[in-house]
Amino acid sequence: MANQSETSNIEPESALPWYASGLRFSCVGCGDCCGREPGVVEFSPDEERSMADFLDITPEEFRITYTWQKYGVLSLRERENYDCVFLHRQQNCVRCKIYPVRPEQCRSFPFWPEILKNKLEWDKYSLLCPGMNRGPLHKFLEIN
């Protein structure tokens, strides 16, 4: 039989995650989540069609021009500095060429499972993203 100190460290399965009261985030348009580190940006077939349509090219042209296999996954290409192929940095302006049709992976940042895993991970990423812990409160149901 477990003693009191052992059982107090066990959370019930119904326990809410650490961010149950919500998280603050407001994109400041810095573009840091879109590059400067290697990564993979996956997208669905529907998202591929939307991006291709937005660029007024065929899905085949889109795939040839803007994607590659990275870590065994079809991903948006990166430049040598690891910026997404669609990220354009010009003096004091950063913008995404396909912002209105960007993939869900891009839309959902910073509410990714690996960032929400625990408060320590959230805090680590917030050092890289000036929009985290600022701006409007996103409620638990919006995040999940």
Side-chain angles (χ1 to χ4, degrees):
M1 184 167 163
N3 67 37
Q4 180 64 30
S5 64
E6 290 174 339
T7 57
S8 64
N9 292 330
I10 300 171
E11 293 185 36
E13 287 185 32
S14 63
L16 292 173
W18 67 270
Y19 56 92
S21 60
L23 293 168
R24 295 196 178 277
F25 173 70
S26 181
C27 180
V28 298
C30 69
D32 288 350
C33 58
C34 305
R36 298 196 175 155
E37 291 185 15
V40 173
V41 178
E42 296 180 58
F43 50 88
S44 71
D46 287 342
E47 290 172 329
E48 180 179 39
R49 278 188 295 283
S50 292
M51 291 183 285
D53 288 348
F54 185 79
L55 297 167
D56 199 26
I57 59 177
T58 67
E60 294 76 22
E61 290 171 308
F62 177 85
R63 193 171 283 208
I64 290 166
T65 307
Y66 297 108
T67 70
W68 61 3
Q69 287 285 327
K70 187 167 183 191
Y71 308 119
V73 175
L74 186 64
S75 174
L76 296 180
R77 286 185 187 270
E78 295 171 330
R79 294 192 180 91
E80 286 184 26
N81 67 353
Y82 302 118
D83 280 358
C84 174
V85 68
F86 293 115
L87 183 66
H88 293 275
R89 297 180 192 270
Q90 300 171 334
Q91 292 181 339
N92 293 329
C93 178
V94 178
R95 68 176 193 86
C96 172
K97 185 177 177 181
I98 60 164
Y99 190 83
V101 294
R102 69 198 185 282
E104 178 59 30
Q105 180 178 335
C106 303
R107 292 175 187 274
S108 63
F109 182 86
F111 306 119
W112 296 346
E114 62 269 25
I115 297 173
L116 297 174
K117 183 170 50 175
N118 56 52
K119 177 99 169 68
L120 183 64
E121 286 299 309
W122 178 267
D123 289 343
K124 181 177 84 175
Y125 275 88
S126 72
L127 296 174
L128 306 172
C129 174
M132 292 171 69
N133 296 323
R134 293 173 176 79
L137 181 69
H138 295 266
K139 296 180 181 179
F140 176 72
L141 292 177
E142 292 175 66
I143 295 169
N144 286 313

